Amino acid sequence: MKQVVRKAVFPAGGLGTRFLPATKVIPKEMLALVDKPIIQYGVEEAVASGIEHVIIITGRGKGAMEDHFDHSFELDATLERRGKKDLLEVSRGVAALARVSYVRQKDPLGLGHAVLCAKELVGNEPFAVILPDDVIDAEVPCIKQMIEVFNEKGGSVLATQTVEGPAISAYGVLAGSQDPANPRIYNCTGMVEKPKLDDAPSKQAIIGRYVLTPRVFELLEQTQPGAGGEIQLTDGIRALLKEEKVFGYTFEGKRFDAGDKFGMLQATVEFALKRPDLGPQFREYLKGLKL
Ligand code: G1P
């Protein structure tokens, strides 16, 4: 029986040290890209892809995310009293976006461990994983594209992007070959987390979007700490690959690493330029800088 992908896991327990001092108190997932916290882009992508249940893996000091996706009684009442209908819609809209559950990751043991924290809530069905730092601008939401591939191929799907040079060492990297029938599909034979450039099996880097079968939970339970001493999702999926097919997928769209200062600057410029309310004025401003 074909199983529908209904749930998406958002690992959001990390400390966000790449963005200090902004993330000393504020969760990195709550940093604004133009005027929306970066995690909201991921949640909107999930909802637009048919996901019904969002599961956020949180940690200490991350409570702002829970408040964000909830009603804000005082704010909403004040906006209503002042007749600010548009803003009220914005505020209420966030709370109405999706059914959201939270699981605390008590120990920062790695991405694989964070995903494992969702085991009970996901249960025995395929699910999506969205890393909120990776903001993807795409006509068809990235995770929707991947769910289509999952339904067609019947195996787990990892988003990939070609990365040249030493930057590859910041990623999980696939081994395998391009599918002759569809150049966007990569038939995986292996994968390694954060290899040295010389050890990288290809230029196919894993980007923060996954559609996985639930068997990965049991395998993650047996996964030992790997790169950086952490329980790596990549290692769990490599174990899955011994039992099931796993595919890389070159998505259509552009990915920004919004968990990084430079990536956030790039995303800010491009997203702001696309906004009908800000774009024209911002374009004129940038032109005036005479760089
Ligand atoms: C994580 C994954 C890595 C993947 C990357 C994509 O690494 O472990 O395999 O390539 O996300 O953003 P992190 O960026 O958390 O170090």
Side-chain angles (χ1 to χ4, degrees), residues 178-193:
Q178 207 175 42
D179 192 308
N182 181 350
R184 289 196 177 274
I185 306 276
Y186 195 80
N187 296 312
C188 280
T189 55
M191 63 192 70
V192 46
E193 179 68 13

Side-chain angles (χ1 to χ4, degrees), residues 193-204:
E193 179 68 13
K194 299 193 173 60
K196 290 197 190 111
L197 176 59
D198 290 344
D199 300 334
S202 76
K203 292 178 179 178
Q204 294 296 305

